[in-house]
Structures are given as structure tokens and as C-alpha cells.
Amino acid sequence: MKNNRTFLEKLLDGAEVEWKPLIKVASLTRGRVISKEYLADHLGDYPVYSSQTVNNGEIGKINSFDFDGEFVSWTTDGANAGTVFYRSGKFSITNVCGLITIQNNLELNYKFLFYWLSIEAKNHVYSGMGNPKLMSHQMEKILIPIPPLSVQTEIVKILDALTALTSELTSELTSELILRRKQYEYYREKLLSEEELGKVGFEWKPLGEVTNIKTGQAVSKYSISQNPGIYPVINSGREPLGFINEWNTENDPIGITTRGAGVGSITWQEGKYFRGNLNYSVTVKSDYKLNIRFLYHILLHFQKEIHNLCSFTGIPALNASELKKLEISIPAIEEQQRIVLILDKFEALTNSITEGLPLAIEQSQKRYEYYRELLLNFPGRE
């Protein structure tokens, strides 16, 4: 029976785990307002951390510091509310961050606390005036498991190694993904260049002459939330706005964003879906020989030209009448099909959801999270 014990049970070896709310083991403070102007006027060597997750939250360096030593910090409000960081050395944090200082007489490892809160904090995020928040009065209620310090140290050692391995693997996979994207873009630009197409012959045609361009149907986040379903809503971004219980589009995969930050972006969505009013449908006219996948690739090739047609005074927008004037280069249908075969292979290698690198990166992160939660699954919680 003893051999069936979990790894954590073997680590504990019968030792008890005490549970205490965070406020009983640490003090919590907030950062201060540090503006872009302040950062620019006080350049130095000490990092300033804020609510972003890129670059470990660092937004700049200044010539002074507010904290020195080991700490755990968390994001108090905004999209990244509840995100937890391990901090050490001399640094400062902004007013959208909180800082946790463990009581001096307590045997609690900062890294151990960081790993625990990385799992637990997100469960306590709440909505304050529509804005995600995790303020001190909620953070301090989180229960913390306190096994013997030797157990904490061993768990930290294992999780540090797993973190490093996952980070290295993710970095390698991301580098490979970037390389494949560059390969796809290189061959797309080469195969669709005027010089290359000139070897087989092509003609310039205004987009409005060979395609029909129509606007989708108005949809709101509220209507999506009230009518959840299986059909993706394609609107102002490359990713679905959500999923709804009705569809208005089928076998009409190409879209172009009409307004907003992603204006001019080319989208491809197969099957049935709901096209929003911030996305143009671009379909081939029945009397013209134009491969739909070739049209997709050629529009990506002319992405810069499409972007130049957009207006950026006020809300960024792309007028259909301007888009129709865009001239695209079209070779014979046989050449279109040849180019599509090549570019589709590169795109599949790059963007495959089920077999490609994005899934490998996601699986790597899930494996890490699985083992982290296994190591921190302590008994005795109320």
C-alpha cells in the first residue's frame, strides 16, 4: 500500500500541512503611480514593473527603487488581474500592482508562495464596474498551504526545473514557428511577385471587376452572450469574436476587416459562420476564372496596398469603393492552382491547429500546469 503513495505524499512523509489565509502570513501593499513622463525623466538601472505580462511586466528602468529583496507581486486590476510574479532585487511597481512580503518569523519560501498563487489567484478575480480586479481585501483571504520548509524547497526545485524546461521548449517551438512563417511569407511574395508571374503571363484586374464585396450583418457582444452556439462570429479581428447559435455565411471564406484596429486584415473562415458588419465578404464572380484560395493568397500579398487604402482619421476604416479599385495580378487558372498547392503546404505547416507548432506550444504549457498542480495538491484544505 505504501508504494501506491503519490509523489507529494512521499515528500510529506506524514508531515502535516497547515492552512492559513494570506493575511496571516504576509503583509500586502500597493505600488505607486509611475507615468511615462516619470520613466523618461528618471532613467536608470532599476526596473519598474506594471500589469503587462510581456517582458516579465517590466515597462522601463529608473534611477531609484522602492523595494529591495525577495517578494511576490500580483496585478490588481485590468485584463491581467490575478497574474502573479516572483520578484527579487531592487525594483519598483506601479499602482496596478500589489506586493506581498512574508512575515520574518515564518518558514515560507517566496518561490513556493509564488507557485501556489500562480494557480490560486486567478480563482479570486472578480468584476469591479466591469473591470477584472483582484484587490488586497480579496487577495488576503486566499488560503495558503504551509508544509515543512524542506518540502517547500524540494517542490520549488522541481518546479524551477520544469519552468526552465518548458520555457526552453516554448522558445525553440516559437523560433521554429517564426521561421516557418517567414518561409511561407518569402515563397508567397516570390511566387506572386510581378517578376515571377510575368514569366507565365498575367493580367491586372480591379478587385471590384472580378469579385463581389458585401458587408456582413450587425452583431454585438451582448447578442452573442445571449445566444451562445457553435458558429464562430467573424467581425473586426482575425480571431472569432465569439460563438453564436445562428449563421449567415457558408462557403464564403474570405473576409476583410472594415473598421477598427485590425482594419484591412484578411480573414479565412471555412464552413458555416456568422459574418459581422465590420467584415467584408469577398466572393469570386461566377463568370470569372479565379481560384478562391489563390484570391486569398494574392490578397495577403497585397496586404500593404490594402492597408494604404484605409483611412486613419478617427476610427480606422476601409471603404468598399476604394477596395474595389485595388488592382490584383491574376495568371491563368492552371498557374493559380499550382501556386495554391505550394502556398497551402507552407501555410499548413505554419498554422495547423491540430498538428502544428501552435498546438505543441499549448501542450507543453499544459504539461507544465498539470505537474505543477499535482505537486501542489495538498491535503487538509477546508
Side-chain angles (χ1 to χ4, degrees):
M1 191 74 175
K2 198 170 182 178
N3 290 333
N4 292 328
R5 292 189 305 169
T6 66
F7 182 76
L8 180 57
E9 287 172 334
K10 290 176 183 177
L11 270 182
L12 288 170
D13 196 25
E16 290 189 4
V17 177
E18 190 176 8
W19 291 84
K20 290 186 177 183
L22 184 60
I23 192 62
K24 295 293 185 182
V25 300
S27 60
L28 284 66
T29 56
R30 288 287 295 277
R32 61 186 173 97
V33 175
I34 300 177
S35 65
K36 289 181 179 179
E37 292 75 19
Y38 187 92
L39 286 169
D41 293 340
H42 298 80
L43 291 174
D45 299 323
Y46 305 109
V48 175
Y49 300 113
S50 192
S51 61
Q52 65 188 51
T53 55
V54 296
N55 198 27
N56 201 32
E58 184 179 317
I59 59 170
K61 287 184 168 68
I62 56 175
N63 56 8
S64 62
F65 58 89
D66 295 334
F67 307 102
D68 183 9
E70 259 191 310
F71 303 89
V72 172
S73 76
W74 85 95
T75 301
T76 59
D77 48 341
N80 297 317
T83 304
V84 180
F85 300 90
Y86 170 77
R87 305 292 187 203
S88 64
K90 298 178 172 68
F91 64 92
S92 299
I93 56 173
T94 69
N95 60 313
V96 291
C97 301
L99 196 78
I100 300 168
T101 308
I102 296 171
Q103 293 175 10
N104 288 331
N105 60 346
L106 196 72
E107 290 192 333
L108 182 57
N109 185 298
Y110 272 101
K111 270 286 188 77
F112 176 81
L113 179 62
F114 157 71
Y115 282 123
W116 173 254
L117 290 176
S118 294
I119 297 173
E120 194 66 20
K122 287 286 187 181
N123 297 330
H124 295 263
V125 173
Y126 61 98
S127 178
M129 300 295 287
N131 187 35
K133 291 181 180 294
L134 182 54
M135 310 309 282
S136 298
H137 71 282
Q138 290 297 115
M139 191 73 168
E140 65 188 19
K141 297 176 185 177
I142 296 177
L143 289 175
I144 310 299
I146 309 176
L149 189 59
S150 59
V151 174
Q152 296 178 41
T153 303
E154 186 61 25
I155 288 173
V156 166
K157 182 180 175 183
I158 295 168
L159 288 177
D160 277 352
L162 275 173
T163 300
L165 186 63
T166 303
S167 177
E168 182 181 355
L169 181 58
T170 300
S171 178
E172 289 177 1
L173 290 171
T174 302
S175 297
E176 180 66 17
L177 183 58
I178 291 169
L179 178 62
R180 288 190 184 185
R181 281 178 179 155
K182 286 183 176 178
Q183 285 177 329
Y184 163 62
E185 289 168 5
Y186 169 79
Y187 282 104
R188 186 183 71 211
E189 299 314 300
K190 181 175 175 61
L191 285 168
L192 298 175
S193 68
E194 188 173 349
E195 178 187 359
E196 204 62 26
L197 288 179
K199 296 175 183 178
V200 294
F202 71 94
E203 56 182 346
W204 289 103
K205 288 287 184 180
L207 191 61
E209 185 180 322
V210 296
T211 68
N212 294 306
I213 299 173
K214 298 178 181 179
T215 305
Q217 194 176 332
V219 64
S220 67
K221 288 183 179 180
Y222 178 76
S223 65
I224 296 170
S225 67
Q226 295 301 302
N227 301 280
I230 62 170
Y231 302 109
V233 178
I234 304 301
N235 205 29
S236 61
R238 294 185 186 277
E239 298 301 320
L241 183 63
F243 293 83
I244 202 166
N245 63 354
E246 61 177 323
W247 55 276
N248 62 7
T249 307
E250 183 181 16
N251 299 324
D252 178 4
I254 297 178
I256 301 179
T257 303
T258 69
R259 288 169 69 85
V263 66
S265 298
I266 315 301
T267 60
W268 177 275
Q269 183 67 45
E270 296 179 348
K272 296 176 181 177
Y273 64 97
F274 191 101
R275 187 189 298 281
N277 62 318
L278 302 181
N279 196 273
Y280 287 134
S281 162
V282 184
T283 55
V284 179
K285 289 184 176 179
S286 58
D287 59 345
Y288 202 84
K289 290 184 178 180
L290 180 56
N291 183 299
I292 190 68
R293 280 297 289 180
F294 179 83
L295 176 59
Y296 169 68
H297 289 300
I298 201 74
L299 287 174
L300 287 174
H301 175 68
F302 284 104
Q303 181 76 79
K304 184 178 179 181
E305 286 76 5
I306 292 172
H307 191 263
N308 290 338
L309 295 173
C310 300
S311 167
F312 293 94
T313 53
I315 298 174
L318 175 60
N319 193 297
S321 61
E322 292 299 314
L323 185 59
K324 289 176 181 179
K325 297 175 186 175
L326 175 71
E327 293 205 338
I328 58 173
S329 44
I330 306 175
I333 190 68
E334 296 79 14
E335 183 62 17
Q336 293 178 39
Q337 291 165 347
R338 186 186 75 84
I339 290 171
V340 165
L341 281 173
I342 297 169
L343 293 181
D344 276 359
K345 284 180 182 177
F346 276 104
E347 192 182 54
L349 280 170
T350 305
N351 297 326
S352 171
I353 301 294
T354 56
E355 299 176 344
L357 292 169
L359 180 64
I361 292 170
E362 182 184 344
Q363 287 177 333
S364 172
Q365 184 61 30
K366 283 184 177 178
R367 277 195 299 272
Y368 165 73
E369 290 171 0
Y370 170 78
Y371 286 111
R372 181 186 65 184
E373 292 180 26
L374 206 63
L375 280 166
L376 296 172
N377 187 25
F378 292 103
R381 185 173 186 174
E382 294 179 0

